[in-house]
Amino acid sequence: MELTLPPGRSDAQFQAALRAFEGVVGAEWVFDTDLDRTTYSDIYAVGPETAHPPSAAVAPASVEEVQAIVRLANQHRIPLWPISRGKNLGYGTAAPRLAGSVVLDLGRMRRILEVNPDLGYCVVEPGVSYFDLYEHIQANQIPLMLSVPGNAWGSVLGNALERGIGYTPMGNHTRQLCGMEVVMPDGDLVRTGMGAMDGNHAWHCFPYAFGPGLDQLFCQSNLGIVTKAGLWLMPEAETQLALSMQASEEDDIAWIVDTIAPLKRAGVISQNQFVSSWLGRLVLMGQRSDFYDGPGAIPEPRVRELLRQHDLGFWYVNIRLYGDDRITRAQADVIKEAFARHTRSTFVEEPWRKGDPFLAVDPSFGAPSAVPLAMGAWTGGRGAHLGFSPVVPPTSAHVMRQFRRSRQRIAEHDLDFYASFTIGDRHANNMNMLMFDRDDPAQIAKVRRAFDALIADAREAGYGEYRTHLDWMDPVARTFDYNDHAQMRLFERIKDALDPNGIVAPGKQGVWPAAYREHRA
Ligand code: ADP
C-alpha cells in the first residue's frame, strides 16, 4: 500500500518522526514499507482497504517505550492508533480510523504477569492472545477457565477493551476487567482503582476503589493506551453439561428469549447465552456454492429444503452448564421443564468431564478456537463479514421488533440472513452477520446500503449498536443523540483536555480531537 502521510505532515516531518521512533524501539521495530502498510490494513474492508491507510507501524516492547513514543508523537504531531494484536475482524482489523495514523502495535508486550488461581484473575499485557493464556493455564494446570469470543485469534485485553463477548458465565468480557495501567496521551502513567495506591494488594480484586471508577473510561476509547490490566477468570469446571435443541420456526425466538432470560436472572443459566440462526451452522459445513449457486440471497424454499436436508431448525439453542454435576443435573431439570411449556422437541444432552477431548467448534466450552472464522469462506473469493449488532432488552416484544425489522431489511437488500442473540441478564446483543466477497463490487455496495439502513431504522425504533466498523463509527455515534449529542460533546471536552494534540486514536468511536475534527464523516 502506498504511503498516505499523517494529515498536515510533510514527508520530511514524517520521516523525522519515524527516525525518532527508531531511536526508542530500534529500526527493526518501525515498519514503513508498502508491504508493512498492507500488513496493517483492514483485510475485511467493506470496499478498498485504502479507505483507512496506516502510514507506518511502530512496535514498542515495554511501558517505558510506549511512553517515549507517545511523547515523541506529541512533539512531531503524529496520530497513533494503538492495537493489541490487531485481529479486530469485521470492525477494522489493525487499520486506523484516521488515514495516515501510525499503528502502535503492542503485540510484543506479551507477558502474562500473574495468574492467581485462588482469587481467579490474571494480569496480562496487550499482546497476550487467548491461545497464549490458554496454553499457560493448561501447562501449569491452573484450575481456571477462559471465556473466549467466537474468533479467539486476538488478544485477551483488546477484546475486553472493545467489549467483545464470550459465551461462558464470564462472557461479558469488559465486566471482568479490574484494575488497569494506562499510558495517558501526554505520556504520564496511571494505575486505576486500588492500583492508584502503590503496592495495593487488592488492585485486581475490587474494581470500584476510592473515587470515580475509570476502567470503563478506557474501553472503546481514545483517552489512553492500556499497557496491562487485571481480568477475572472463572474456576475451572470439573464437569460441563450441554443441552442443545433446534427450534424450527423463526418466531420461536420470542418464547426462547422469554424462557431463557428469567432463568438467567435467577442464576439457573449462568452463561452468556448464545442463540443463533441456521446459517451459523451451515457456514461451518461448507461454502455457499455447495448449497446454492444463485447471485442473491438463498430463496426461502431452498432454505426450507436445506434445513430439512441437514436436520436444522431456524434457531439453534445450546445451553452449557458448568461445575458440580449434582448442581448441573438439577439446573438441567429446571431448564427442560421451562422449555417443555413451549415445545415438544427435547434437548440433546452431552456431558463432559475434565480430561475428555475439548470441543473446538463451541466457544461456550472455554477453549480458544478460530473455527468460527470459517464463515469468511462462505461467499468464496476474498470473503469477509461485517456485524450489525444492536443491543435490545431481552424480552420477546423487543427481540421480535428488532428481529423482524432487520430480517426484512436484509431480505430487501437480497443478502443471506444470519442472526444471533446473545442473552445476558438484562440485555441481548443481536449480532447480524453480513457476509460478502471483497472482490464483488455489487455485493459490497449492497452490504453498505443495507448497513446504513439497519443503523438508521434501529435508531428510529430506539436501539443502538454496541460496537461497529471504522466506516460507521461516526454514523453510529450520531445515533446517540440525546440533548443535541450531549454525551459526545462531553467526550470531546474530555478528549481535548487530556489529548490537546489529538494524538491517540483520533476518530475512534466518533470521538474527534479538535486537531482533526474536520475529518468526521
Ligand atoms: P485484538 O487484539 O482482539 O485483535 P485489537 O488489537 O484489534 O484487538 O484491538 C481492537 C481495538 O481496541 C483497537 O482498534 C483499539 O481501538 C482498541 N485497543 C486495543 N488494544 C488497546 C490498548 N492496549 N489500549 C487502548 N486501546 C486498545
Side-chain angles (χ1 to χ4, degrees):
M1 186 184 287
E2 278 175 30
L3 173 61
T4 301
L5 287 168
R9 298 297 89 191
S10 69
D11 193 50
Q13 288 170 321
F14 176 63
Q15 293 303 331
L18 293 189
R19 299 298 86 76
F21 292 161
E22 283 177 4
V24 175
V25 296
E28 70 272 38
W29 297 109
V30 173
F31 306 105
D32 64 339
T33 66
D34 286 354
L35 181 60
D36 293 330
R37 284 184 280 272
T38 302
T39 303
Y40 285 96
S41 69
D42 181 7
I43 55 167
Y44 274 26
V46 201
E49 57 269 29
T50 46
H52 297 284
S55 55
V58 53
S62 67
V63 178
E64 293 72 26
E65 288 186 7
V66 174
Q67 291 178 280
I69 297 288
V70 163
R71 292 197 175 106
L72 288 170
N74 273 291
Q75 281 167 27
H76 292 263
R77 301 286 195 275
I78 302 289
L80 299 173
W81 181 261
I83 59 165
S84 286
R85 295 193 64 80
K87 310 296 184 202
N88 205 12
L89 297 174
Y91 299 104
T93 318
R97 171 65 187 86
L98 176 67
S101 299
V102 171
V103 175
L104 183 68
D105 181 348
L106 303 169
R108 289 173 73 202
M109 297 175 64
R110 206 176 159 185
R111 286 179 304 164
I112 298 167
L113 298 165
E114 184 185 355
V115 179
N116 189 316
D118 304 319
L119 295 169
Y121 68 76
C122 64
V123 185
V124 291
E125 291 188 329
V128 174
S129 72
Y130 284 99
F131 288 98
D132 294 337
L133 188 55
Y134 183 77
E135 278 163 20
H136 177 88
I137 285 173
Q138 297 303 308
N140 294 284
Q141 299 185 342
I142 301 168
L144 293 175
M145 216 185 104
L146 292 188
S147 176
V148 299
N151 161 29
W153 199 22
S155 70
V156 177
L157 189 47
N159 189 273
L161 291 175
E162 279 297 278
R163 311 210 177 99
I165 51 184
Y167 310 98
T168 69
M170 310 288 267
N172 194 343
H173 292 164
T174 200
R175 198 197 277 172
Q176 315 312 331
L177 286 166
C178 183
M180 292 179 180
E181 181 186 86
V182 189
V183 172
M184 298 305 293
D186 62 358
D188 200 5
L189 189 65
V190 170
R191 288 184 171 180
T192 65
M194 302 308 279
M197 177 194 287
D198 204 5
N200 189 292
H201 297 286
W203 186 14
H204 306 298
C205 302
F206 184 61
Y208 311 110
F210 187 72
L214 291 181
D215 285 356
Q216 279 296 315
L217 195 65
F218 300 108
C219 292
Q220 288 197 2
S221 164
N222 55 12
L223 298 174
I225 297 159
V226 181
T227 47
K228 58 178 72 80
L231 208 105
W232 292 349
L233 301 172
M234 179 176 139
E236 178 188 45
E238 290 289 322
T239 72
Q240 298 185 14
L241 179 60
L243 304 177
S244 57
M245 174 187 289
Q246 309 277 349
S248 59
E249 302 306 319
E250 55 181 86
D251 286 357
D252 286 339
I253 192 65
W255 67 258
I256 291 173
V257 167
D258 283 341
T259 305
I260 289 176
L263 291 172
K264 262 207 67 72
R265 284 191 294 276
V268 178
I269 295 176
S270 58
Q271 75 176 132
N272 215 15
Q273 185 60 59
F274 183 65
V275 179
S276 106
S277 70
W278 56 273
L279 190 47
R281 307 270 288 166
L282 217 57
V283 291
L284 301 178
M285 298 178 190
Q287 285 190 284
R288 190 174 197 280
S289 55
D290 299 331
F291 306 106
Y292 178 69
D293 232 353
I298 308 181
E300 220 36 51
R302 179 64 185 141
V303 170
R304 286 286 145 198
E305 208 171 73
L306 283 169
L307 298 189
R308 265 195 312 278
Q309 272 169 19
H310 296 279
D311 203 16
L312 297 172
F314 194 93
W315 298 103
Y316 177 61
V317 183
N318 181 25
I319 301 171
R320 189 170 283 274
L321 304 164
Y322 305 83
D324 189 310
D325 62 0
R326 288 166 299 186
I327 298 175
T328 57
R329 290 267 155 221
Q331 288 168 320
D333 287 342
V334 175
I335 294 165
K336 284 189 271 187
E337 208 176 283
F339 271 71
R341 283 184 214 122
H342 300 279
T343 179
R344 274 196 287 276
S345 307
T346 52
F347 283 109
V348 176
E349 297 188 36
E350 286 171 277
W352 175 91
R353 187 166 289 281
K354 193 177 160 183
D356 291 352
F358 81 81
L359 313 166
V361 291
D362 184 353
S364 69
F365 181 79
S369 158
V371 170
L373 273 183
M375 96 177 108
W378 175 247
T379 57
R382 282 190 304 162
H385 65 74
L386 181 70
F388 172 68
S389 46
V391 176
V392 297
T395 66
S396 53
H398 288 290
V399 162
M400 289 311 286
R401 277 183 80 199
Q402 177 52 43
F403 165 65
R404 289 214 176 98
R405 194 167 11 79
S406 55
R407 177 147 164 70
Q408 190 192 333
R409 276 284 171 268
I410 290 167
E412 280 166 16
H413 290 84
D414 202 20
L415 295 163
D416 292 332
F417 184 72
Y418 171 12
S420 64
F421 287 89
T422 302
I423 305 167
D425 291 352
R426 286 167 190 81
H427 76 279
N429 292 82
N430 170 215
M431 179 67 79
N432 297 273
M433 282 296 180
L434 306 177
M435 291 170 286
F436 56 96
D437 173 359
R438 293 198 56 215
D439 294 317
D440 183 338
Q443 244 179 59
I444 287 178
K446 273 201 287 197
V447 166
R448 297 192 69 91
R449 276 197 304 273
F451 209 76
D452 290 340
L454 286 163
I455 292 170
D457 62 16
R459 160 67 199 96
E460 195 56 38
Y463 307 104
E465 278 199 281
Y466 91 100
R467 189 179 183 186
T468 201
H469 182 271
L470 296 173
D471 281 351
W472 283 276
M473 282 181 178
D474 291 321
V476 169
R478 265 195 292 278
T479 63
F480 292 85
D481 52 8
Y482 171 72
N483 187 18
D484 189 22
H485 306 88
Q487 185 180 248
M488 181 54 76
R489 288 187 279 117
L490 173 61
F491 284 161
E492 292 189 344
R493 271 153 62 202
I494 298 173
K495 178 68 178 163
D496 288 339
L498 298 184
D499 189 3
N501 297 318
I503 57 135
V504 177
K508 181 166 172 61
Q509 249 60 21
V511 178
W512 289 95
Y516 299 109
R517 218 155 268 161
E518 75 275 14
H519 293 268
R520 196 192 307 271

